[in-house]
Amino acid sequence: MSTPHLERLHAYCHQLRLYQVETELPTLLEQAAKHERSYSEFLEDLLSREIHAKGAKHLAMRLAMARFPFQKTLESFEFKFQPSIDPKVVRELATGRYLEHGENVLLLGPPGVGKTHLAVALAICACQNGYSVYFTTLDGMIRALAAADRAGKLDSKLRSYTTKSQLLVLDEVGYLPLSRAEANYLFQVISNRYERSSVILTSNKSVTEWPEVFGDHAIATAILDRLLHHSHVMSIKGHSYRLRERALAAASAQAATLATQ
Ligand code: ADP
Ligand code: MG
């Protein structure tokens, strides 16, 4: 039922951007009248619904802006499968305290051990804690910076990798060798973020192999120096989860074939 009074309330809510209250107002008014709720209870319910809805909307925006390749969480990570990872360390990182001080997280290890999964899961925690996040592969970032450089817009692109997100996830460092110019792009991003905003980085190479990947010993050392100064390094030693899944699938297919014989 619509009355001029209710219409005015709708308009006020809209003007104040209380969209959730606006949607739920008729039902909530009806319930409050039926259950004889106090003014304070009614207001508390109303405002908490708005806060909840705004929180969910902002989180959805942060997740969309982060451009994750997939959304994997810590809950779906099997710690038992990767005993070289201390769940306590991961749980501490999930609190996001490292972000307050611009500390970095390095996830190192061979393919398939869950580096990208953990990087995304920790970055999702950061989004939940209210931080802005951007996810990219190193290759993707280097290509974007090189294109901006060719277009004479390197400075503004570098700024976007430095200031646009409070947490930058750099995935797959070390998969492809870098030229000196490319390594220099990475150096500029890392040194601009140094002690200001965090980076989560994944690599299949140990840090001792980095000079080889970056082609230039001096730049590799300068990058590592800044990255490692305030950092949490997790070296994952273990088997590939991808191969385990493939082995399990093959075993169950074999079992199914045997069962039909
Ligand atoms: P990496 O980046 O180290 O190569 P990924 O994080 O891409 O590995 O993991 C490969 C796949 O295996 C992904 O689908 C990931 O979700 C899954 N995975 C890896 N490790 C685990 C784990 N310990 N528990 C659950 N899933 C895992
Ligand atoms: Mg990966």
Side-chain angles (χ1 to χ4, degrees):
M1 195 179 68
S2 173
T3 63
H5 179 60
L6 199 56
E7 275 169 26
R8 274 201 305 281
L9 283 178
H10 272 291
Y12 292 158
C13 286
H14 203 79
Q15 213 172 336
L16 291 167
R17 298 170 188 260
L18 301 172
Y19 301 125
Q20 192 65 26
V21 173
E22 188 186 351
T23 312
E24 297 201 49
L25 196 59
T27 322
L28 290 173
L29 283 170
E30 222 175 271
Q31 279 174 2
K34 203 152 77 189
H35 301 299
E36 295 182 3
R37 304 173 75 187
S38 68
Y39 293 126
S40 62
E41 274 174 342
F42 173 70
L43 258 183
E44 187 189 341
D45 189 15
L46 206 70
L47 295 180
S48 72
R49 280 164 195 262
E50 186 63 43
I51 286 174
H52 194 75
K54 281 208 162 43
K57 187 177 151 202
H58 292 155
L59 174 60
M61 274 165 60
R62 282 194 293 276
L63 291 173
M65 304 251 300
R67 314 235 169 198
F68 292 122
F70 48 66
Q71 290 205 4
K72 300 258 170 138
T73 59
L74 290 181
E75 287 71 40
S76 67
F77 193 81
E78 273 184 63
F79 284 93
K80 269 201 207 118
F81 184 75
Q82 224 53 266
S84 66
I85 301 174
D86 184 351
K88 277 204 291 297
V89 172
V90 177
R91 270 199 295 276
E92 164 58 29
L93 292 173
T95 66
R97 265 188 282 273
Y98 70 101
L99 293 157
E100 289 168 25
H101 311 109
E103 294 165 5
N104 302 317
V105 178
L106 273 70
L107 300 166
L108 311 174
V113 293
K115 301 182 296 297
T116 306
H117 184 138
L118 281 177
V120 168
L122 288 174
I124 288 177
C125 292
C127 287
Q128 287 164 341
N129 288 327
Y131 288 90
S132 57
V133 174
Y134 188 70
F135 179 102
T136 175
T137 58
L138 175 66
D139 190 43
M141 183 178 83
I142 297 291
R143 273 190 282 117
L145 286 168
D149 202 359
R150 283 194 298 275
K153 294 176 180 162
L154 180 61
D155 281 353
S156 81
K157 200 70 186 169
L158 277 171
R159 250 195 319 280
S160 87
Y161 282 109
T162 307
T163 57
K164 261 197 174 165
S165 60
Q166 289 159 301
L167 170 64
L168 176 68
V169 183
L170 271 182
D171 198 25
E172 299 186 351
V173 173
Y175 278 77
L176 300 170
L178 300 184
S179 68
R180 180 179 292 193
E182 289 169 340
N184 193 39
Y185 293 143
L186 175 62
F187 169 72
Q188 293 199 51
V189 172
I190 298 299
S191 83
N192 289 345
R193 295 186 74 94
Y194 176 58
E195 291 190 331
R196 269 185 247 160
S197 44
S198 302
V199 175
I200 295 183
L201 181 150
T202 81
S203 180
N204 60 339
K205 297 275 192 302
S206 70
V207 289
T208 51
E209 294 171 281
W210 282 27
E212 200 183 306
V213 176
F214 294 157
D216 184 306
H217 206 280
I219 293 183
T221 310
I223 293 171
L224 274 173
D225 207 39
R226 284 157 183 78
L227 268 178
L228 294 174
H229 187 191
H230 309 287
S231 66
H232 306 261
V233 181
M234 265 193 270
S235 292
I236 312 173
K237 296 170 194 74
H239 299 292
S240 165
Y241 197 86
R242 286 193 197 100
L243 294 183
R244 179 193 99 140
E245 286 200 317
R246 215 174 299 161
L248 284 176
S252 77
Q254 202 177 15
T257 317
L258 286 172
T260 55
Q261 280 170 359

